[in-house]
Amino acid sequence: MTELTSPLFSLTWAGTTDVGHVRSINEDAYYADRGLFILADGMGGHTAGEVASSLAIQSVRTFLESQRPSSLTLAVEESLLQAVRIANEDILKDAEQHEEHGDMGTTLVIAWVVGSYLWYTHVGDSRLYRWDGSSKVLSRLTEDHTLVAELVAKGYVLPEAAEKHPYRNVLSRCLGRPDLKAGLVQKIPMHAQDRYLLCSDGLTKEVPEQEIAQILSANPNDQEAVEALVHQANEYGGRDNTTVVLFSIL
Ligand code: CA
């Protein structure tokens, strides 16, 4: 666990990733440091998923670290959109150069602390949650970009049927596609005792949200919390790679 003391907040954070019990390789990747948190869940044949997720993390990190510090609303929003575009182009370029990476893609979540706000954007079904330290309530800040989530939004599929839907894993958006529609860029004010969780679907497909909230309540230490979350996903089957990044406002 590392700590950063800024004039506004002190943050602590931790991240971990685990291959799980079924997959032979881990195609997730993450980055967590000094107010920038990124998570990507790659897909594609051979080792292409791994390449896509690490390229996404590297591109976003390099670009955003060259942009800070900035607190102008338009500049922050544009920087995040630009970061997503650059990551997408880098993946497409690599796929063009290496035939075996042709079908690769990845999800992406970026959470960026700028002043007293958390800015975030995402593509795909990796998620960002906010856990409120005073009410202990967990709320999801991102909408999955999946075919099923879109059918639910349009009223064609009932929300309670979504989790068992045969197409629940089909993404409607991911990086590595020439026609990528970037996600929304949003911002929320941060408060003392808030905790924010980035995670791949390896966590959310195994561990119900209520249990995620309980684990966060029971583990005030970030490192212990991320380890407990991954442990629980593996206890319930560990059918996918699980990655979690958690940061807490003191
Ligand atoms: Ca996954």
Side-chain angles (χ1 to χ4, degrees):
M1 182 168 78
T2 325
E3 194 171 320
L4 166 73
T5 309
S6 83
L8 295 164
F9 292 111
S10 289
L11 299 185
T12 59
W13 63 88
T16 191
T17 184
D18 192 88
V19 68
H21 292 327
V22 174
R23 307 279 176 100
S24 56
I25 50 169
N26 191 342
E27 298 181 311
D28 289 357
Y30 73 92
Y31 174 77
D33 198 15
R34 298 188 168 263
L36 179 61
F37 306 94
I38 320 165
L39 184 146
D41 173 355
M43 64 213 80
H46 306 286
T47 57
E50 257 181 301
V51 173
S53 60
S54 40
L55 268 176
I57 299 283
Q58 204 187 332
S59 303
V60 169
R61 180 188 165 185
T62 307
F63 180 73
L64 289 183
E65 287 187 341
S66 75
Q67 296 296 301
R68 68 169 69 187
S70 167
S71 54
L72 295 170
T73 295
L74 267 177
V76 177
E77 183 172 5
E78 187 43 46
S79 294
L80 282 166
L81 289 172
Q82 181 75 357
V84 174
R85 277 196 294 269
I86 292 173
N88 197 44
E89 281 161 20
D90 287 349
I91 292 168
L92 288 169
K93 239 180 274 164
D94 185 279
E96 236 177 63
Q97 288 159 2
H98 305 91
E99 200 185 326
E100 70 279 17
H101 297 163
D103 63 343
M104 71 179 170
T106 184
T107 71
L108 177 68
V109 192
I110 311 171
W112 199 23
V113 176
V114 182
S116 58
Y117 284 88
L118 179 68
W119 290 78
Y120 59 95
T121 191
H122 82 294
V123 176
D125 65 353
S126 298
R127 295 178 178 175
L128 174 67
Y129 288 93
R130 171 175 180 254
W131 183 82
D132 180 324
S134 20
S135 65
K136 317 262 188 245
V137 169
L138 184 74
S139 23
R140 174 140 64 97
L141 301 178
T142 51
E143 289 292 331
D144 293 346
H145 296 140
T146 60
L147 192 60
V148 170
E150 288 185 2
L151 293 174
V152 170
K154 287 179 183 153
Y156 295 129
V157 171
L158 291 172
E160 49 273 29
E163 276 175 36
K164 306 259 179 247
H165 198 283
Y167 294 154
R168 65 189 178 280
N169 292 323
V170 179
L171 297 183
S172 53
R173 296 186 202 184
C174 71
L175 265 69
R177 304 292 176 261
D179 57 349
L180 172 73
K181 269 191 284 170
L184 280 177
V185 173
Q186 289 168 285
K187 69 167 180 174
I188 46 165
M190 299 190 306
H191 303 285
Q193 297 185 54
D194 280 352
R195 299 178 98 181
Y196 295 91
L197 174 73
L198 290 78
C199 58
S200 61
D201 66 336
L203 178 74
T204 49
K205 291 218 170 81
E206 302 287 15
V207 186
E209 288 181 352
Q210 208 187 340
E211 275 186 58
I212 295 175
Q214 282 162 3
I215 291 170
L216 293 176
S217 302
N219 292 278
N221 176 285
D222 295 330
Q223 188 64 41
E224 286 167 17
V226 296
E227 282 166 17
L229 288 166
V230 167
H231 175 80
Q232 200 57 37
N234 285 335
E235 281 291 296
Y236 285 149
R239 280 160 284 200
D240 197 354
N241 310 141
T242 300
T243 304
V244 290
V245 173
L246 178 68
F247 60 100
S248 306
I249 317 296
L250 301 183

